[in-house]
Amino acid sequence: MKKTLISALTTALVVGAASTTFAAANPFSDVPADHWAYDAVTQLAADGVIEGYGDTTFQGDKSITRYEMAQMVAKAMAKTDVSAADKAMIDKLAAEFADELNNLGVRVSNLEKHADMVKWNGEARYTYSSRRIENTDNDSKDKANNDELLFRLEPTAEVNDHWSVKARLDAKTDMATDAGNDGDVKLQRAYAQGDYKNFQVQLGKFGFYTPEQGLVWDNEMSGAKVTVGSDLKASLYGGRIDLSDSKAVKNFDSATKAWKSTNGDDTASIQGITLQYANAAKSKLSGGAAYYHVNSDAFKGLYDTKVNGAKTTGDGVAYTNGANNEDTANIWSVNAAYNFDGTSKLSAAYAQNTEADTLDKSWQALYNYKGAQAANKGTWGAYAGYRYLGTFASIFGTQDAQTVGAKGWEIGADYTPFKNVVATAKYFNGEGIESGRDTETLWGRLDFKF
C-alpha cells in the first residue's frame, strides 16, 4: 500500500492536527499558507510527527512506503495529550502497521485487541400487555393494560485472555404516564466472568436463568456461579437474591387489587446445584436436574383467612398451614427435551418446593418450532404449551403472557421483519390456581437490537 504524504494527512488530521489556524512560521517552502493542508502540516511538524527533507521541502506529492507511514504512526503514539477518539484511531493505525512498528522496536502486537477492549450491545424495546381477570362480584372482568419502553445497554470489557467484566443497565418508562422506573438508569447486572476449557466462573450480580427454561428462576442473583464440564455440565450457585418483586413473598389485597409485601426483609440467601446434559451432535435428547435452597424471613407471616383466622394480610395464600415461622424453601426440579430435526423441539419440566403446603408445584410442556434470529431477516418461530406455575415453586419463574400463580394454555410467535428487529406476540388463556378466576392476556413486544 502506497500513498502520498498529502493524502496521509487525512489520517493525520484525526490523530492530533490543529482544528484552528496554526500561527507558527511556515516550516516548509513547498507548502504555501493557502494550501488546504497547511494547518495540519505545520501542527504535525511542531509536534515532531513529521520532519520533511533537509532542503526545507515537504514533498507532499511523493509516495511513501509503509515503513515511512509507520514512523509517523510511532511518533503519534508517543503523544499523550490526545482525546479518547484520537487514541482509538491511533491504536487502529498501530494495528494496521504492527509489523513495521515491531521492526522499529515499538511493541504493538496486541493493540488491535486492546483497541476494542470494551464492546457495547443493547436494545430498545416496546412491550404491551393487556390482562383480563374475572371479577368474582359480577360477570365482568377487571382489565389491566401496560405500556413499557425499555432502553438497555450491555457493555463487555476484556481484562485478559480469560477474564472479562460485564454489566447491564436498564432504563424503563411507563408510556401511559410517561413516568420512569425510579426516575434513573438501574444497574441490573455487574460481574466478572472467567472462561477456561470446560470451566467457567461468574462473580458479582449476574443473570440467574435456570436450565428448566426458567421454570423456577429467571432474574438476577448476587454471589458466585461455577460451571464445570463439557457435555454434562454441573453448576454451583451461592449468594443472595432480592425477593421484593416476587409474588412468593406478597399477598393479594382485594381492596387495592395489588400484591403487597408481608414482611420488610425481602432478601434471601440461596445455594443451588444444577446438572445438565446436552450434545446435539451425539443425541437429540437433553435434560437435567437441579436443587435450590433458599432462606429468608420474607416467607414468614404469609397468612390467609382461609387457613388462619388469627391474622390476615388479605386474599393471599399461606406458605405453611397454621404457622408463621417457616423461613426456608427447598426446591428441586427436573427437565427433558427432544430435538426432532433441528427446527422443532418438545420440552417439559417439573419443580416442587418441599417446604410449602400449597402452590408448591410447577410444571410445563412446550413445543417450539424454529425461532426468529435477530441477525437474519425473514426468520420466524412459533410455540405452544401448557404451563402451571405454583407461586412457591416458581418463585421467579419466567412470565410474560402468563403470570406466576396461574395455569393454562399459552401460544406465541416471533418474526424478524428487518435485521436486528424482532417482533413477538403471545396469548395466554387460563385461570388462577387458587382463586379459580378466569384470566387471559395479550402480550406483544417490538425489539430493536444493536
Side-chain angles (χ1 to χ4, degrees), residues 132-345:
R132 293 167 174 81
I133 303 176
E134 180 184 8
N135 193 323
T136 56
D137 298 331
N138 51 54
D139 294 333
S140 65
K141 289 186 176 180
D142 294 327
K143 181 179 179 180
N145 293 338
N146 183 59
D147 292 86
E148 181 185 272
L149 182 65
L150 177 142
F151 181 74
R152 170 173 291 166
L153 289 176
E154 294 183 303
T156 298
E158 295 183 9
V159 177
N160 53 44
D161 291 340
H162 295 289
W163 284 87
S164 60
V165 173
K166 302 184 179 185
R168 171 177 287 183
L169 299 159
D170 282 358
K172 296 180 181 179
T173 296
D174 185 336
M175 298 291 286
T177 62
D178 200 30
N181 180 22
D182 298 329
D184 296 308
V185 175
K186 185 176 181 180
L187 181 64
Q188 293 287 105
R189 301 176 183 177
Y191 62 98
Q193 178 170 307
D195 293 292
Y196 298 84
K197 184 178 180 180
N198 299 330
F199 177 79
Q200 183 189 80
V201 59
Q202 294 177 318
L203 303 170
K205 187 176 183 180
F206 48 85
F208 188 31
Y209 182 82
T210 47
E212 66 282 337
Q213 290 186 278
L215 181 65
V216 180
W217 302 103
D218 184 6
N219 60 321
E220 285 86 23
M221 69 168 288
S222 298
K225 173 188 175 183
V226 176
T227 301
V228 296
S230 178
D231 296 346
L232 178 63
K233 292 185 177 181
S235 295
L236 296 173
Y237 303 85
R240 299 180 69 81
I241 193 165
D242 182 10
L243 299 178
S244 59
D245 290 330
S246 172
K247 288 184 180 179
V249 297
K250 297 180 180 180
N251 280 346
F252 188 76
D253 189 321
S254 58
T256 61
K257 297 292 190 283
W259 291 86
K260 64 180 183 180
S261 178
T262 60
N263 192 295
D265 184 7
D266 292 330
T267 303
S269 62
I270 182 170
Q271 300 84 40
I273 180 172
T274 64
L275 295 172
Q276 197 71 14
Y277 172 82
N279 187 320
K282 296 180 180 179
S283 175
K284 294 183 178 182
L285 282 170
S286 61
Y291 170 77
Y292 313 99
H293 174 80
V294 186
N295 186 272
S296 173
D297 285 343
F299 293 118
K300 294 181 178 180
L302 293 176
Y303 285 96
D304 188 338
T305 52
K306 304 174 192 175
V307 178
N308 189 322
K311 298 179 73 174
T312 180
T313 56
D315 296 333
V317 178
Y319 183 63
T320 55
N321 295 332
N324 71 332
N325 58 355
E326 182 57 62
D327 62 357
T328 301
N330 289 311
I331 304 170
W332 61 270
S333 70
V334 292
N335 70 90
Y338 184 83
N339 195 330
F340 289 94
D341 53 11
T343 60
S344 59
K345 183 172 70 173

Side-chain angles (χ1 to χ4, degrees), residues 104-147:
L104 289 172
V106 182
R107 308 302 300 177
V108 294
S109 58
N110 291 323
L111 271 174
E112 183 175 11
K113 179 177 180 180
H114 294 320
D116 296 318
M117 282 182 64
V118 180
K119 297 180 180 180
W120 292 83
N121 295 316
E123 59 185 310
R125 72 188 191 196
Y126 168 73
T127 304
Y128 171 81
S129 66
S130 179
R131 180 169 287 115
R132 293 167 174 81
I133 303 176
E134 180 184 8
N135 193 323
T136 56
D137 298 331
N138 51 54
D139 294 333
S140 65
K141 289 186 176 180
D142 294 327
K143 181 179 179 180
N145 293 338
N146 183 59
D147 292 86

Side-chain angles (χ1 to χ4, degrees), residues 384-440:
Y386 187 90
R387 306 182 73 205
Y388 181 108
L389 304 184
T391 306
F392 301 124
S394 296
I395 292 181
F396 259 117
T398 297
Q399 53 178 347
D400 288 327
Q402 184 178 357
T403 61
V404 170
K407 60 182 178 180
W409 292 93
E410 184 173 303
I411 60 174
D414 53 8
Y415 176 67
T416 305
F418 310 102
K419 183 179 180 180
N420 294 329
V421 179
V422 179
T424 307
K426 300 181 180 182
Y427 174 75
F428 170 75
N429 191 297
E431 64 180 28
I433 297 174
E434 278 288 313
S435 69
R437 295 192 297 171
D438 291 339
T439 178
E440 61 178 339

